[in-house]
Each structure stands twice: as structure tokens, then as C-alpha cells.
Amino acid sequence: MAAAAEPGARTWLDGGSPRPGSPASSPDLGSGGRARLGPGLGSGPGPERAGAKPLGPAAPGHTFRKVTLTKPTFCHLCSDFIWGLAGFLCDVCNFMSHEKCLKQVKTPCSSVAPSLVRVPVAHCFGPRGLYKRKFCAVCRKGLDAPALRCEVCELHVHPDCVPFACSDCRQCHLDGHRDHDTQHHHWREGNLPSGARCEVCRRTCGSSDVLAGLRCEWCGVQAHTVCSAGLAPECTFGRLRTMVLPPVCVRLLSRNFSKMHCFRISESAVPEQGEGDCSVDGSTPASPGREVPVPESNKQTLKIFDGSDAVHRNHFRVISVPRLARSEEVLEAALRAFHIAEDPHDFQLQALPSPMQAGDADPGPGARGKAQSGRTLEEEGSKGPKSREVAPEAWIIRTLPRTQDILKVYPAWLKVGVAYVSICVTPDSTVRTVVTEVLPMLGRQAEGPENFQLVEVLMGSRQVQRTVLADEEFLLNRLRDIRQTSLRQMNQTRFYVAESRAVVPRVSLFVGGLPPGLSPQEYGSLLDEAVATKAGLVTLSHSYPSQGAVVLDVACFAEAERLYMLVRDTVVHSRLLTALVLPDVLHTKLPPDCCPLLVFVNPKSGGLKGRDLLCSFRKLLNPHQVFELTNGGPLPGFHVFSQVPCFRVLVCGGDGTVGWVLAALEEMRHRLACPEPSVAILPLGTGNDLGRVLRWGAGYSGEDPFSVLVSVDEADAVLMDRWTILLDAQEASGAENSVADLEPPKIVQMSNYCGIGIDAELSLDFHQAREEEPSKFTSRLHNKGVYVRVGLQKMSQSRSLHKEIRLQVEQREVELPSIEGLIFINIPSWGSGADLWGSDSDSRFEKPRMDDGLLEVVGVTGVMHMGQVQGGLRSGIRIAQGAYFRVTLLKATPVQVDGEPWVQAPGHMIISAVGPKVHMLRKAKQKPKKTGTPKDARADEVPTLEGAPK
């Protein structure tokens, strides 16, 4: 029995470099368990392995051997060029090093990396994409073909490497498992931006040639692998610390929900074959389009399975070995293919019967039994070289029978000073006896074993699954069954001893898309009829009748999962419902200076750049504070932040998106602990007039998202008027029998401008063209080109708008000149930055401001006049200025508000100021940059060095 000390509950992957006493340096993990392997037989591009000599123990977990270099190669530790013809390569993870750098290697091999994860957190892989000059975190090779990227952290992997990726994503909330009190650095290796500099030595630490350097995914601190040992382990979130929602302030019990559900990430892309399986996280599968590489003449290609589940799913790895290779060499190559670092003498290769070698065959339980009883590689090799030439091409790795085993047991939320304890498991060892034996080793001998339980955790790259084991279960049989199912699964399985405390399930489900205007009782009855909610387990905690949404509190994990999956497939009144899993923000734990940023992104806005921004902001901030507007709208975000005493809002979208969020904020204001949050804009639309006025620019053109967040933090707060427009189509009807056919009165809100006539007609034509072919409207330049084309088609048309409408300002009738369009403006920007009011002084009117409580009324005579205004040649016709307007439409007329057009029936339009002014954020004026400041620096101060003189 042995206990490994844990240095402050800190390991390389989640809080610094491994130190003596950590799992990385324990005899089982850090002594290079593969050091006794013979000459390498791995295949694939790269340096030649001929004449390689095995080295002694390498840290942590690597199996380095000397290789002959045949092409320019760089060291993965110092990222410098390797001069000469010799380098040192790890046979498992392809880590390349100088001989002088071997003793300083801290990066763990992929074969032992899963055992070093401090808190297992699954990744959220998005759809395949091309990522130039990026490297795979598993095999360390370049991503030349379409690859996968985690939506929450900076992990990049090949599709075939997904099953071997560590479940070491960022821990963004408390879930009751290994919750922490202190925020440590979360290091991610490689793929640093160009020009990245080490915070310790100030030298370049990134590389575009290899996977090198480290970066904290919370604060952005960058360092060399060797230098990172000198940094303090605590993370302060860096420059964005006041904007980030700390993970210790977010709680989400997500037992049965994947991380994609927890972070509300769209699951439009279904995992393809080769990307692993969500339940078992299987190995590389065979598929009709997957070809086995043709080996060289002196080599043969073998299919290797790591267990019965791989055979059942036909998931295999391909290795290439010499035709005359010894059985031990083939076995070592097979273990390397599955990143298994255990002693090869504990395994054997068994031939797969020929009926099971078909590519798409699905062997049943009987067929798997035959595989287990197949001939071993030794038996095949004993028949002589001629027999080996026709030996089976498919083999399965099996564990030799064991009469005892070593089990590592990790403490869960127990505050103890060890990373894990190792005990010997015999055929008589049950879960209860193991817990009884472990407790004294953890200093809990005074407590009875009945207060604790043993939890089996499968740390898959896509999902972390937890299973509570029964007290009477025999552990040696359990370990044997896991290895029989999948050796790689055994490598990713961990056992925790945890207190048997009762966890009170509570899951908040947001349900949107319901009919608006109903009472909470009516919503409850509607959901009970649609999805059969269970009265004792589900309660309706919040109701939003104006937006047709409710929030359900579910007191059972299984019921929450059932409701979530069922609601998303339910249609009520011809509308598909929306279901979201919402976290709880523990507002009492927020630091005093914390003012978290609530981010809304519309991925459909002009240019379609919102999708990349979503991913970037999820990585720079806590993904729980980033919301996609096409998935439930702004309401879920405001509900999650309803108890936060102080927060700000960033809206990424066009002027219509900004108006949408401001309207939702107006409705939610009385329910917010911060009723007046300041709102910033990242313009993604076509016109972006409000963004121009607030200095956020004419449109987003790929600026660094981190710089955008810094600008939001430094922005100045200003006030802006909001206006309410009452649309009443009934009063203007002359015939009594036609009242029932007209639209009911409705209210819309305005921030920028409201147009009646020709400009609304152009917007309506553009809107209809975009609805017909949305795929063509992905460029801001193309969108403006469509506007010009539509305008040219309207140049010869005239409808004499001044004869079709009546205008009253402050209860006073105003005579209109001969115009084709009437525009009410609240900000000094219209039609993509044009000054419609003009800069000339006029004694009849006050100087316009967006917070003066007044609207300016301007007329245009046609398309030609509008073009001259946008070209800066003319201004509009100044008509009036006031705070209350009444417009009478005598005919159906196009109307647009903040870029959203429609045809308004004859009637009245009443425009008046809405309640309190909204607080907007105006970008501060650019300050001259100081010379010598690193371009990519993300921390506002150098972290404290351990042992450095003060």
C-alpha cells in the first residue's frame, strides 16, 4: 500500500508543473513505465527510427529513443531547431526533443496524461473545420485536414485522436464533484498566437512549427513549459478579471446533461465517424470511406482492437510492422497505438476469427466469445515465417489473467493532502472492504465506512460519466470486465471515495415558444398536457407571459433529462418549443469589484461572423455568460443574471438585434437586481448606425476579441432616449364592417429612427430578398450592393407621400412639403452613417442630442435625394422637432423601425418617449500605444514569482 502526496492539490494540467510527490512523479506514472520497450516499430511520417536505442526512464511517462532526422525538425520544449542528424522522439505521443532538453521535459505523455487530470471535465467539440498552423494536442502533428476544436477551451485534435484526448476542459461551474475554493491556472499547451512572450523570461514562447509553450485559459498568461514552474499557482483572471463570471459563483448540477447542453451550444453538427462515441468514446472506427494504408513491401498492416466493445462497434487502430517482427514487438506497437503505458508482459494479442474481420460486420455476443478463444500471436508465430505471411490481419489486445491488481483510489471533495492512495485488490475485495481500507490512509479512520461510497468515473473526452458502485460488488471482477470491454476505457477510468451525502437535485429548465399572455396556471396546464410534467417533481418558478416563456425547477435528474429532450421535439400552436438548461449564479459569492459582462451574439447578423465570436467569447470569458440569440432570445440571459447586483451587456449584432435586446431589457427591468445595466455594441449588421454614433465602428472586420472586451471595460457610460410607437389600425377605418379584418393595436420600441415611405420601401424589398436567399447575404458589401440595386429600380416611382399622411407635433398640425419619405431620427446617423439632419445651425430648432428627449423629423424627396444625403452632398428637409407625434396613415404604407420593415395598414401611429433612458457604453477615444508593449499581452501585471526577491 502506498499514498502519493499532492502538492496543494496541484498537477501540471491544472495548476503548474508536476513536483515530487505528485501523481506525475509517482513510481506508477512518472518512471517511464514503457522504458523497457524494445526498438520502436511505430509507423507514420516523421524521422526514421532505424538504429534507435532505448533510453532510461523519462519524465513524465514518455518513451524516448534516439532517431535519425531526415528533414528539418524543431524541439517541442524549447521550440529551437535541432541541429545535426539525431533527435529524441517519444514513440507514443511524438514529442521531439534535444538531448540537452530531455531532463527538463515536464509535458506528460498522452499515455499518462488522463491520470494527471485534477478535475475531469468533458470537452465540447464543434463541427469539423480547417485550422491553419494549429497542432493536435494528442499526436502533436499539424492539422492539415479538417479537424475538431473544443468550443470552450483551446484544444485542437484530429478526429481520430478524439478518443485519446484528456477530459481536461475548463471547469466553469460547481457541480458537486471536486469543487474548489481557489482558482488555479488552467494550462493549455501550444497553438499560441504569433509574438507570444513568456511572462517570466520575456522571450518568445510560441511557435508556428511545433506544439510548444503554455497559456492559461482563464487569465491568458503565457510561458515556456520550464518557466511555468516559477509562476504562482493561483489565477487572478488577468486583465478581464472584473468582467469574468468566476466559476465558484456558478452552480449547475448537470449529472445527465452533456456540456453542450450546459453551455447551450448548438448541436447542429452530429459527430462523424472517427470522432469517437459519446457513451464509450470509442476508438477509430472503420467506415466505407476509410482506407487502410498500403504498407511497404517489407511490412504488413494489422487492424488492432482494444476490447470486445471495439469489436462490436468495428472500431480499430491500424499499425504497420515488419513482416518478420517478433510477437513482443507487434504487441508493443499495438499498445502504443492505443496510448497504453502499462507493462507489455501483462497483455497478449489474440487473433480475430475471419468472419469478424469484415469491415461492417456486427458480431454478436457469440462471435465475441470466439474472439476471446482465438489463437494468440505466439501460436501464429510458432508456425514459421511462411505461416505468418497469411496470419490474420485483425487482432485484439487481451489482458492476461490476474489474481490481484493495484487500484488507485482518489479522494473526491475530501480535504486531504494526497492525490490518491494505492491498494491491492484480491478476489475477495469488495467495495465495502476497499472503502474500509482506504479511509485510514486518508485520515478518516474515525468515521464509519457506511458514510462513504466508491464512485467509478469514466473520463471520456466528450462526456464524464459517474457510477456509484454497490457495497457488495467484487472489484477485481469489475476491473477485469472493464479491461475486457476496452483497455483504453480502463486507462480513462478513475475511482473516487466520496461522502454518502444526499445531493438535492435541482435543475432549472427554460421553456420558450409558448403562447404569450397566459397565466402561470394556464402555462402549467399546457405543459402538463404537452409533455406530462410530474406535479411532485416539477414546479413553475418564473413566468414571462409577454414573451411566452417559463422557467421550471425540476427536483429529479431523470425527469429533467426527460423533459429537456421531450420539450425540444414538442410543437404547441404550430410553434416548436425551446428548452435550455440554466445555471444558478451565486451572487453573494461575487467579488466586490466584479461586474460580469453578459454577452448576446446573433450569429445571423451581417457577415455571419457571429459564430466565430461565440466561440471566442466562450473561451475568453465563462461560457455561462455568453448567449446565442437564435436559441431562446435575450430572456434566458437576463433571467440568469437577474440577481447579479451589477453587470454590463455586450450585444453582437446589427441595429435590429440591439433593439431586440433593449426591448427585452425594458420588460425585465423590474425583475433585475441591476435595473439599469450599461449596454455596449459590437456591430455585425449592414448599417450599424448606433454603433457608429457610440464609436464602435462601421462594422466588425475581424478585430481581436480580447481587444474588444478591453474596449468595453474602458468605455464611457452615456444616456440614450428610447421611444414607443403605438400602431393602431382601427381608428382610421371608415367602414364599420371592416374593423374586424384590421390588425389589433401593437406597440414597438425605437432607438435609432423610424421611416415612413420610400426608405421603408427599400428596406422592405431588401428584407424580402434576404428571406428568399439568405445564403447570399453573407457580406456587408454585397448587402449594400443589393440596396443600391433596389434603389435604382425605385428612382422613377412617385407616390406623393405628403398627400397620404397627416402629421401632428405636440398636438399641433404640421403641413408637409412635397416628399416621398418621412423619417423620425433619434441619433445623428442614418443609412450607414449619413447625417440626415445636417450640421447647419437653425434658430427654429435645438441642437440634436440622443438624450435630449426630442426627436427630429426630416423629409426626403426620393431615391436621388437619399443618395445625395449618403454622399454628403445634401441634407434632409427639416420639418419639426418634438417629444410627442401623431401620424395618420390614409393608405397602407411601408414603415420601418431600426431597420425592421413591414407594411402598416391605414390608421394612427403615436410616437412618445418611453420611461427611463437607457445606459449605453461609448467607446473611449484611442490612446497612443506605448512602444515596447507586447502586442498579445493579456495580463495587466506580471504574476508573482515564487521565491523571487521583493
Side-chain angles (χ1 to χ4, degrees):
M1 291 179 285
E6 181 182 26
R10 173 182 171 194
T11 60
W12 183 88
L13 289 175
D14 201 8
S17 303
R19 295 187 175 181
S22 71
S25 60
S26 64
D28 293 330
L29 298 178
S31 62
R34 302 284 308 286
R36 54 183 130 179
L37 297 184
L41 297 165
S43 61
E48 296 181 359
R49 306 170 191 265
K53 297 181 180 180
L55 296 177
H62 291 286
T63 305
F64 286 111
R65 83 182 65 252
K66 193 173 184 179
V67 294
T68 301
L69 304 179
T70 59
K71 60 181 180 180
T73 309
F74 295 83
C75 177
H76 290 196
L77 181 68
C78 64
S79 69
D80 290 339
F81 184 77
I82 299 179
W83 296 96
L85 299 178
F88 291 83
L89 179 72
C90 176
D91 283 328
V92 178
C93 69
N94 300 312
F95 191 102
M96 176 65 71
S97 172
H98 291 102
E99 184 176 8
K100 64 179 181 180
C101 295
L102 284 179
K103 295 181 180 180
Q104 297 179 312
V105 173
K106 303 295 183 181
T107 305
C109 180
S110 58
S111 60
V112 301
S115 62
L116 304 181
V117 177
R118 184 164 171 259
V119 180
V121 180
H123 292 283
C124 302
F125 292 110
R128 293 191 183 193
L130 289 173
Y131 304 104
K132 298 180 179 179
R133 306 190 76 82
K134 299 290 185 181
F135 297 90
C136 176
V138 176
C139 69
R140 313 185 69 89
K141 296 180 181 178
L143 301 178
D144 299 326
L148 298 176
R149 176 186 64 180
C150 179
E151 297 284 327
V152 178
C153 68
E154 283 292 342
L155 182 78
H156 294 75
V157 290
H158 293 108
D160 289 351
C161 294
V162 169
F164 306 99
C166 286
S167 54
D168 62 342
C169 194
R170 291 191 300 165
Q171 186 180 16
C172 300
H173 59 263
L174 306 178
D175 61 356
H177 303 282
R178 297 280 291 184
D179 295 337
H180 53 84
D181 300 325
T182 305
Q183 182 68 39
H184 287 176
H185 289 298
H186 189 95
W187 297 111
R188 179 68 61 197
E189 185 187 15
N191 296 322
L192 272 62
S194 59
R197 293 189 176 275
C198 177
E199 289 291 340
V200 178
C201 65
R202 307 309 300 172
R203 295 175 57 194
T204 301
C205 59
S207 173
S208 59
D209 301 301
V210 292
L211 193 73
L214 296 177
R215 174 173 54 185
C216 175
E217 295 188 303
W218 283 111
C219 66
V221 168
Q222 300 162 145
H224 294 100
T225 305
V226 176
C227 296
S228 64
L231 293 173
E234 293 77 17
C235 178
T236 61
F237 298 106
R239 174 64 182 83
L240 305 178
R241 60 180 174 271
T242 60
M243 310 176 73
V244 175
L245 188 62
V248 296
C249 301
V250 185
R251 181 180 58 202
L252 178 59
L253 302 180
S254 56
R255 192 187 69 172
N256 291 338
F257 292 101
S258 70
K259 287 295 179 288
M260 303 288 282
H261 297 158
C262 296
F263 298 140
R264 305 166 304 279
I265 298 176
S266 176
E267 296 181 282
S268 56
V270 179
E272 304 177 26
Q273 287 189 321
E275 297 175 19
D277 184 82
C278 292
S279 58
V280 186
D281 214 11
S283 305
T284 307
S287 62
R290 180 181 177 84
E291 299 181 357
V292 177
V294 178
E296 301 176 14
S297 58
N298 62 337
K299 293 187 177 182
Q300 62 177 338
T301 299
L302 303 178
K303 298 178 182 178
I304 305 296
F305 298 85
D306 75 326
S308 303
D309 185 75
V311 176
H312 177 67
R313 298 172 179 270
N314 198 33
H315 287 187
F316 58 84
R317 303 284 287 182
V318 178
I319 64 172
S320 178
V321 296
R323 295 187 179 275
L324 300 180
R326 293 180 293 111
S327 58
E328 294 83 1
E329 298 173 342
V330 178
L331 176 59
E332 292 169 1
L335 291 174
R336 284 198 300 269
F338 283 94
H339 300 247
I340 298 173
E342 299 182 42
D343 191 344
H345 295 91
D346 295 332
F347 302 91
Q348 67 177 1
L349 282 175
Q350 290 183 352
L352 228 59
S354 55
M356 301 177 60
Q357 297 181 29
D360 298 321
D362 184 11
R368 289 198 297 273
K370 293 180 182 179
Q372 297 175 22
S373 60
R375 300 184 305 276
T376 64
L377 189 62
E378 288 79 0
E379 296 172 352
E380 292 289 341
S382 64
K383 298 179 182 180
K386 294 184 179 180
S387 300
R388 283 295 301 273
E389 293 179 1
V390 293
E393 293 184 357
W395 299 82
I396 182 170
I397 310 176
R398 290 300 187 190
T399 306
L400 295 175
R402 302 184 183 186
T403 57
Q404 62 181 16
D405 207 340
I406 299 297
L407 180 68
K408 297 174 184 176
V409 181
Y410 293 75
W413 47 74
L414 303 176
K415 305 299 182 182
V416 295
V418 297
Y420 62 84
V421 294
S422 300
I423 64 172
C424 181
V425 178
T426 64
D428 298 329
S429 299
T430 64
V431 170
R432 176 56 61 90
T433 61
V434 167
V435 172
T436 304
E437 189 176 355
V438 164
L439 288 179
M441 304 171 67
L442 298 176
R444 306 297 288 265
Q445 58 272 12
E447 304 182 44
E450 64 276 0
N451 298 326
F452 295 86
Q453 59 189 8
L454 195 63
V455 183
E456 177 187 305
V457 179
L458 174 57
M459 305 183 299
S461 59
R462 293 185 183 274
Q463 179 122 21
V464 175
Q465 300 178 354
R466 294 175 172 86
T467 304
V468 179
L469 302 182
D471 290 342
E472 297 78 16
E473 186 167 0
F474 291 97
L475 278 177
L476 191 62
N477 295 339
R478 182 79 180 183
L479 297 177
R480 183 194 62 208
D481 293 342
I482 296 176
R483 288 192 174 98
Q484 194 80 0
T485 301
S486 171
L487 291 176
R488 184 187 44 77
Q489 181 177 334
M490 184 64 209
N491 197 33
Q492 296 178 338
T493 300
R494 184 180 291 182
F495 294 88
Y496 285 92
V497 58
E499 294 175 330
S500 301
R501 59 183 183 182
V503 178
V504 180
R506 181 183 176 277
V507 181
S508 295
L509 286 182
F510 172 89
V511 181
L514 297 169
L518 302 183
S519 64
Q521 294 77 15
E522 291 173 322
Y523 281 127
S525 301
L526 184 62
L527 288 174
D528 185 47
E529 178 182 353
V531 295
T533 56
K534 298 180 180 180
L537 300 176
V538 182
T539 57
L540 197 152
S541 61
H542 296 81
S543 174
Y544 301 98
S546 61
Q547 303 196 33
V550 297
V551 177
L552 305 177
D553 280 349
V554 188
C556 174
F557 289 122
E559 176 66 7
E561 184 181 16
R562 185 189 73 86
L563 287 178
Y564 177 81
M565 304 304 294
L566 193 57
V567 166
R568 297 197 305 172
D569 296 330
T570 301
V571 177
V572 174
H573 294 186
S574 301
R575 291 184 61 187
L576 186 65
L577 299 185
T578 301
L580 298 175
V581 181
L582 299 183
D584 294 325
V585 176
L586 308 178
H587 60 279
T588 57
K589 290 188 175 182
L590 288 171
D593 62 340
C594 182
C595 184
L597 184 68
L598 176 59
V599 181
F600 295 109
V601 181
N602 186 355
K604 294 184 178 180
S605 291
L608 297 180
K609 296 178 180 177
R611 188 67 59 187
D612 292 335
L613 286 172
L614 265 173
C615 187
S616 298
F617 287 139
R618 286 191 184 114
K619 295 176 181 179
L620 292 170
L621 304 170
N622 192 321
H624 286 299
Q625 60 190 111
V626 181
F627 290 80
E628 183 178 350
L629 287 173
T630 55
N631 193 12
L635 183 58
F638 286 124
H639 174 82
V640 170
F641 274 62
S642 59
Q643 299 302 317
V644 178
C646 179
F647 68 93
R648 290 167 289 183
V649 179
L650 173 63
V651 183
C652 306
D655 289 340
T657 302
V658 177
W660 184 14
V661 174
L662 292 179
L665 174 61
E666 187 64 32
E667 293 184 9
M668 283 285 296
R669 191 184 299 273
H670 64 285
R671 302 195 187 200
L672 299 179
C674 176
E676 296 179 350
S678 300
V679 181
I681 300 172
L682 182 57
L684 299 181
T686 303
N688 303 314
D689 290 291
L690 186 56
R692 296 170 189 265
V693 172
L694 298 176
R695 299 181 188 150
W696 295 108
Y700 178 72
S701 57
E703 294 84 3
D704 180 19
F706 174 77
S707 302
V708 173
L709 295 179
V710 172
S711 298
V712 172
D713 192 37
E714 298 174 347
D716 305 319
V718 296
L719 296 176
M720 185 182 72
D721 297 324
R722 287 272 290 167
W723 299 82
T724 297
I725 303 177
L726 172 63
L727 304 172
D728 187 357
Q730 297 183 6
E731 297 182 15
S733 177
E736 297 180 359
N737 58 358
S738 64
V739 172
D741 299 331
L742 297 175
E743 299 178 0
K746 64 178 181 180
I747 295 177
V748 298
Q749 293 186 335
M750 180 191 78
S751 301
N752 301 351
Y753 41 72
C754 170
I756 305 173
I758 184 63
D759 73 314
E761 191 173 351
L762 297 181
S763 297
L764 184 61
D765 290 347
F766 172 82
H767 179 76
Q768 292 174 345
R770 184 169 57 182
E771 289 294 317
E772 292 175 358
E773 296 179 296
S775 60
K776 293 185 177 181
F777 290 78
T778 59
S779 165
R780 190 176 294 113
L781 182 61
H782 174 268
N783 294 353
K784 292 184 178 180
V786 175
Y787 264 116
V788 172
R789 186 185 64 196
V790 172
L792 294 176
Q793 295 173 352
K794 301 287 184 181
M795 286 191 62
S796 59
Q797 299 181 11
S798 175
R799 62 183 300 160
S800 301
L801 182 69
H802 59 286
K803 299 179 181 179
E804 299 176 358
I805 64 174
R806 299 288 182 268
L807 174 64
Q808 289 184 0
V809 181
E810 308 286 359
Q811 307 295 332
R812 179 175 57 87
E813 191 80 23
V814 175
E815 182 177 355
L816 297 175
S818 177
I819 57 176
E820 293 296 323
L822 186 68
I823 305 170
F824 300 82
I825 54 177
N826 183 47
I827 60 175
S829 179
W830 168 87
S832 300
D835 186 3
L836 191 59
W837 182 259
S839 58
D840 297 339
S841 59
D842 193 332
S843 58
R844 298 176 301 166
F845 307 109
E846 299 181 14
K847 184 178 180 179
R849 297 198 326 269
M850 63 180 184
D851 63 342
D852 57 3
L854 300 175
L855 279 181
E856 288 70 46
V857 185
V858 183
V860 293
T861 59
V863 175
M864 182 66 72
H865 187 184
M866 293 170 59
Q868 292 172 338
V869 170
Q870 292 185 335
L873 303 177
R874 291 180 60 184
S875 299
I877 302 174
R878 299 179 180 178
I879 296 177
Q881 190 180 50
Y884 180 85
F885 305 89
R886 184 184 184 95
V887 180
T888 303
L889 303 180
L890 304 180
K891 295 175 58 177
T893 308
V895 175
Q896 65 101 355
V897 174
D898 292 345
E900 303 298 326
W902 71 91
V903 176
Q904 179 62 29
H908 294 296
M909 293 176 56
I910 299 177
I911 306 175
S912 59
V914 79
K917 305 177 187 294
V918 294
H919 293 248
M920 305 298 294
L921 288 175
R922 182 171 59 194
K923 186 176 181 180
K925 293 184 177 180
Q926 296 283 342
K927 297 179 181 179
K929 295 183 179 180
K930 297 180 180 179
T931 57
T933 302
K935 178 180 178 181
D936 296 304
R938 283 175 50 181
D940 55 344
E941 57 184 5
V942 178
T944 304
L945 301 181
E946 294 183 345
K950 295 183 180 179

